[in-house]
Amino acid sequence: MTHQDLSITAKLINGGVAGLVGVTCVFPVDLAKTRLQNQHGKAMIDCLMKTARAEGFFGMYRGAAVNLTLVTPEKAIKLAANDFFRQLLMEDGMQRNLKMEMLAGCGAGMCQVVVTCPMEMLKIQLQDAGRLAAHHQGPASVPSSRSYTTGPASTHKRPSAALIAWELLRTQGLAGLYRGLGATLLRDIPFSVIYFPLFANLNNLGFDELAGKASFAHSFTSGCVAGSVAAVAVTPLDVLKTRIQTLKKGLGEDTYSGITDCARKLWIQEGPSAFMKGAGCRALVIAPLFGIAQGVYFIGIGERILKCFE
């Protein structure tokens, strides 16, 4: 295995480890974000308390298995792709060139969506299942035509990721798993365009010439700050993506034919503030996720693991 192959493998391992640790730490807040974006409530703490009371502690981790399974390739692709495009566009990838950094981030956002879209499609259905149970307790409850369920009786069963994926593939083909692809691209590309250049420039402020890099604390803080800024900036697009990818709807909730239809209905029915639903939750989710990611890269866990097999 060449040095370049080792470098790529190490980056993939680093991205995967960062994703697993990050998701485990912040998943309950991500669940609150999804549920708040799908309803009129605004209080994250209230949402988490009601979830814990109604569904128990593990109810706050509903859908975590999907994320833990797919976050490794998702984060690995995102971080490794950004490094690859930086090397490709900026010679050694180290000099400051904002346009090239933004272009590299754009490439990373486009690459990751291959995994991100189906991962979030399945995760959202599982995260929202508990909220929907309150809407479907009456005998007259009938599932939406867009639902992954097949009959009224199934509305009382807890769905599984495998069942949802199978139903989508059976009824809609691969396009079912990639519902909301356009909205996901519209969210992830701007996020990466903002995050990666912002992190690189913030991290460079703490560059230590003797060590050849910024300190661990500075890299972690830079990742948190850049992640939270990028997360809040693209929240309106995340709200649209969540609404479009939610297949089952509560009583009185709208279905959407696309991004424009979703944005129009959201503006008319809930006002402009609805586009920022879950912004605080997103910042609380994304900030530690990317802080942890940069911390893992700093420590070089991937490199350390590979040394054990040399």
Side-chain angles (χ1 to χ4, degrees), residues 58-308:
F58 290 106
M60 294 189 291
Y61 279 88
R62 181 171 290 184
V66 174
N67 253 35
L68 290 171
T69 301
L70 296 179
V71 76
T72 297
E74 191 257 358
K75 281 290 178 289
I77 289 171
K78 185 186 191 81
L79 296 171
N82 179 69
D83 281 351
F84 171 78
F85 286 118
R86 284 177 66 88
Q87 293 286 343
L88 185 67
L89 296 169
M90 297 188 295
E91 296 178 4
D92 64 355
M94 295 300 293
Q95 74 272 31
R96 302 271 73 80
N97 185 322
L98 184 59
K99 289 183 180 179
M100 291 299 102
E101 287 173 339
M102 293 174 72
L103 192 57
C106 177
M110 292 180 67
C111 290
Q112 76 166 87
V113 81
V114 175
V115 176
T116 304
C117 190
M119 177 181 77
E120 297 222 345
M121 181 71 186
L122 298 174
K123 181 196 73 173
I124 285 170
Q125 316 315 314
L126 295 169
Q127 286 183 328
D128 214 35
R131 183 185 71 87
L132 289 171
H135 291 272
H136 292 284
Q137 289 186 359
S141 168
V142 179
S144 163
S145 59
R146 297 177 184 268
S147 168
Y148 49 78
T149 54
T150 56
S154 61
T155 61
H156 298 289
K157 296 179 180 178
R158 288 190 175 184
S160 68
L163 172 63
I164 297 169
W166 168 248
E167 286 295 324
L168 286 170
L169 288 171
R170 185 178 64 83
T171 59
Q172 301 176 38
L174 195 60
L177 283 176
Y178 280 88
R179 177 181 172 82
L181 176 62
T184 306
L185 282 167
L186 282 177
R187 181 200 66 173
D188 288 353
I189 290 176
F191 177 92
S192 295
V193 167
I194 295 169
Y195 171 77
F196 285 110
L198 181 57
F199 168 76
N201 285 277
L202 288 174
N203 197 50
N204 192 53
L205 294 176
F207 184 81
D208 185 342
E209 292 186 1
L210 292 176
K213 57 184 176 180
S215 67
F216 173 85
H218 190 87
S219 291
F220 180 85
T221 303
S222 298
C224 289
V225 172
S228 59
V229 170
V232 172
V234 302
T235 293
L237 299 166
D238 187 59
V239 172
L240 297 178
K241 184 197 73 66
T242 299
R243 293 286 181 106
I244 290 169
Q245 287 189 321
T246 301
L247 298 178
K248 285 196 70 177
K249 303 293 182 180
L251 299 175
E253 293 179 352
D254 280 310
T255 56
Y256 309 103
S257 59
I259 298 171
T260 304
D261 179 55
C262 182
R264 181 180 60 82
K265 288 179 177 177
L266 199 61
W267 180 277
I268 293 172
Q269 295 172 11
E270 300 178 46
S273 63
F275 287 90
M276 293 305 293
K277 281 186 174 182
C281 290
R282 264 186 70 73
L284 288 174
V285 169
I286 299 298
L289 270 178
F290 282 88
I292 291 168
Q294 299 304 338
V296 168
Y297 262 63
F298 179 92
I299 295 170
I301 290 177
E303 289 81 355
R304 292 170 186 267
I305 292 174
L306 289 176
K307 281 183 180 179
C308 296

